[in-house]
Every structure is written in C-alpha cells, then in structure tokens.
C-alpha cells in the first residue's frame, strides 16, 4: 500500500473534522497511522481520533482509535486493525 494522507497538512486552531477517505483495497487490513506535529503553542494540546463508517454518513458513537493527547512537536504512530471492523469502508480524522 502506498502512503496516503487521511488529512493533508493542516493548521489547527479549533475543533474540526477532516474529509473522508475511501479505503478501497485496504478495507479490513491493519493500517499504520502517523501524526506529525511541527509547531504547537505553549500550554496547548491536541486530541486526534479516527472514525470509521460503512456508508460515509453514519460515523458511529465512538472512534475506532485515538492518539493519546499530544502537547509537543514530534512524529507519533498508532496501529489501526480494521479486521475487527470489516464493514468500515471510510475513515476520517476528528480533533
């Protein structure tokens, strides 16, 4: 699988939701998600969660996976095992 961006480089100033990504051939696979933080304001943090949907409209009541709250610049990775969520065809990030 070639690397894809779930969310392009973004400056976050308030809560938001990214566009949905169609999984295509990666449906039901294990994905490595990478969060890169290049700048952050002192005393601020970010909470990032990944949501899944079978139809692109119903995103469920809770995220598939969440990064631990981040306060510092860096590159962070987390695994998302979609084998337990076989019906998920779309992903999106929420912060």
């Amino acid at each position: 699988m070639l690397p894809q961006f779930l969310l392009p480089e973004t400056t976050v100033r308030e809560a938001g939701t990214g566009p949905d990504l169609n999984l295509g051939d990666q449906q039901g696979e294990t994905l490595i998600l990478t969060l890169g933080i290049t700048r952050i304001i002192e005393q601020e943090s970010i909470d990032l969660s990944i949501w899944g949907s079978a139809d692109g409209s119903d995103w469920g009541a809770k995220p598939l996976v969440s990064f631990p709250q981040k306060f510092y610049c860096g590159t962070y990775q987390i695994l998302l095992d979609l084998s337990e969520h076989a019906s998920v065809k779309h992903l999106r990030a929420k912060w």
Side-chain angles (χ1 to χ4, degrees):
M1 174 180 155
L2 295 174
Q4 289 184 311
F5 287 99
L6 185 57
L7 184 66
E9 187 173 329
T10 303
T11 300
V12 174
R13 292 192 171 96
E14 57 190 28
T17 303
D20 77 340
L21 173 72
N22 188 325
L23 289 171
D25 294 340
Q26 284 73 46
Q27 184 177 345
E29 293 187 6
T30 299
L31 306 176
I32 299 173
L33 304 175
T34 303
L35 168 63
I37 301 173
T38 56
R39 286 190 286 178
I40 196 160
I41 297 173
E42 188 175 337
Q43 304 289 323
E44 295 290 326
S45 66
I46 187 164
D47 295 297
L48 182 72
S49 56
I50 308 301
W51 295 72
S53 172
D55 59 8
S57 61
D58 179 12
W59 294 93
K62 59 184 201 173
L64 300 174
V65 68
S66 296
F67 282 88
Q69 190 175 48
K70 299 297 177 194
F71 296 90
Y72 302 104
C73 294
T75 303
Y76 307 95
Q77 291 186 326
I78 194 168
L79 287 177
L80 173 56
D81 184 2
L82 292 173
S83 65
E84 300 172 9
H85 308 281
S87 65
V88 171
K89 296 180 184 175
H90 303 270
L91 293 180
R92 73 176 180 189
K94 189 173 181 180
W95 58 91

